[in-house]
Amino acid sequence: MEQFDFLKLKSQLLSIIKESLNTINNSKSLNIKNKELNDIATFADEFIESELSNYLSIVYPNHHIIGEENGENNVNSLYEWLIDPIDGTVNYASNLPFYGTSIALRYNHETIFGLIYDIPNDDVYYVIKGIGAFKNNEKLHVSKKYNLNESIITICLTSSYDEQFTNNVLEIIKKLQPHVRGIRIIVCTTYELMWVASGITEAMINIKPSIGVGSACGKQLVIEAGGKVTNTKGKTRNNLDDLLVSNGLVHDEIVKIINS
């Protein structure tokens, strides 16, 4: 494996994100574009991804880069960078304070480093495999709650879901609602995973199969903070799969309920 100075890398990537945001704020342009169904992308999505991709292409020319907006480069490598420039774009465009930038470095499909910049709160989350998960250099730990009736769960129901995905989400909500303290829908994977890793919530669910460009860093945050990541059947995730993430203590019960 290559050798990385992850803390230096964190600072460099964070600097690029913040400089990009200054340019975006000065432009005062959303430039909203329609995507799948009623989903959108903005100037911020495209600009931040472009700046990060350009930097990584120069520093790591032999690495594969996958972006949420512009797809992949043509490099074949065991090293993969996954970039979601603005996770929670609808929130961002609507001035709802739940959105952030997520970057992850995977080696042979395992995340070894990741960074999330919580833009509205100016907080930095990062993870180094085998070292830990951190918020502003403070180590993170998942919730110790093991009773589902004391637990808060988030679930994704986004504007890019078709009728079948929407119906599936509503069915899961109906199954879980009698058993939990609360279900929240904010549609920002980075926040939902940050919250599980920080012990604020106990679990999150996303039923749409994905390779996880926007969730790669957050999933590793949860793992390093002591939590658990599977698909909604409770099995090891495939490369393209749905997602259940929890503090580990309520995981099996959630799997049982949503698959009943």
Side-chain angles (χ1 to χ4, degrees):
M1 287 181 63
E2 297 179 26
Q3 298 299 311
F4 299 91
D5 184 339
F6 287 126
L7 294 181
K8 181 179 179 181
L9 182 56
K10 173 185 69 113
S11 297
Q12 291 169 329
L13 294 172
L14 185 61
S15 178
I16 292 168
I17 296 168
K18 290 187 174 183
E19 289 172 8
S20 299
L21 287 168
N22 285 335
T23 301
I24 291 161
N25 291 335
N26 289 333
S27 77
K28 298 180 181 178
S29 172
L30 281 175
N31 192 23
I32 294 175
K33 296 180 180 179
N34 292 324
K35 292 174 62 177
E36 181 182 4
L37 294 178
N38 203 30
D39 203 6
I40 60 172
T42 67
F43 170 62
D45 294 90
E46 296 181 349
F47 187 77
I48 294 172
E49 182 175 313
S50 176
E51 293 296 291
L52 290 169
S53 294
N54 289 342
Y55 171 78
L56 293 171
S57 295
I58 293 170
V59 179
Y60 305 107
N62 297 319
H63 287 193
H64 187 198
I65 299 173
I66 305 172
E68 181 73 19
E69 303 304 327
N70 297 316
E72 309 178 36
N73 64 4
N74 294 319
V75 177
N76 184 21
S77 173
L78 289 176
Y79 289 98
E80 294 180 318
W81 290 92
L82 286 77
I83 305 170
D84 192 342
I86 299 285
D87 181 41
T89 300
V90 173
N91 294 340
Y92 162 73
S94 305
N95 290 316
L96 292 167
F98 305 103
Y99 55 91
T101 301
S102 176
I103 311 166
L105 172 60
R106 299 198 306 190
Y107 176 73
N108 198 21
H109 302 295
E110 290 191 9
T111 300
I112 59 174
F113 165 78
L115 165 71
I116 292 172
Y117 181 45
D118 174 1
I119 299 171
N121 296 303
D122 192 27
D123 285 326
V124 180
Y125 293 76
Y126 66 97
V127 61
I128 302 172
K129 185 180 179 183
I131 302 298
F134 303 87
K135 173 187 177 182
N136 301 328
N137 299 320
E138 180 179 341
K139 204 159 189 178
L140 298 177
H141 301 280
V142 295
S143 161
K144 291 182 170 59
K145 292 179 182 176
Y146 56 86
N147 290 324
L148 202 54
N149 62 8
E150 298 177 348
S151 300
I152 303 293
I153 297 174
T154 63
I155 188 165
C156 185
L157 179 55
T158 177
S159 51
S160 65
Y161 278 12
D162 61 19
E163 184 178 1
Q164 185 58 58
F165 279 128
T166 299
N167 289 337
N168 290 345
V169 170
L170 295 176
E171 184 64 27
I172 287 175
I173 289 173
K174 285 168 60 179
K175 289 179 177 180
L176 280 173
Q177 187 274 335
H179 303 281
V180 301
R181 177 155 291 169
I183 296 172
R184 299 292 180 265
I185 300 174
I186 64 159
V187 193
C188 181
T189 300
T190 54
Y191 266 71
E192 295 172 67
L193 293 169
M194 284 162 15
W195 288 344
V196 176
S198 303
I200 297 171
T201 59
E202 280 63 55
M204 67 85 67
I205 299 170
N206 193 331
I207 67 161
K208 188 175 184 180
S210 166
I211 66 169
V213 173
S215 64
C217 176
K219 288 181 295 196
Q220 195 64 30
L221 276 176
V222 173
I223 290 170
E224 292 289 336
K228 187 172 182 177
V229 176
T230 69
N231 62 22
T232 57
K233 299 292 185 183
K235 306 298 183 182
T236 301
R237 293 184 75 248
N238 298 312
N239 189 48
L240 182 67
D241 213 336
D242 56 23
L243 180 63
L244 169 60
V245 178
S246 81
N247 65 357
L249 301 174
V250 297
H251 205 93
D252 291 345
E253 191 172 357
I254 292 173
V255 169
K256 183 179 179 180
I257 290 170
I258 67 177
N259 288 286
S260 63

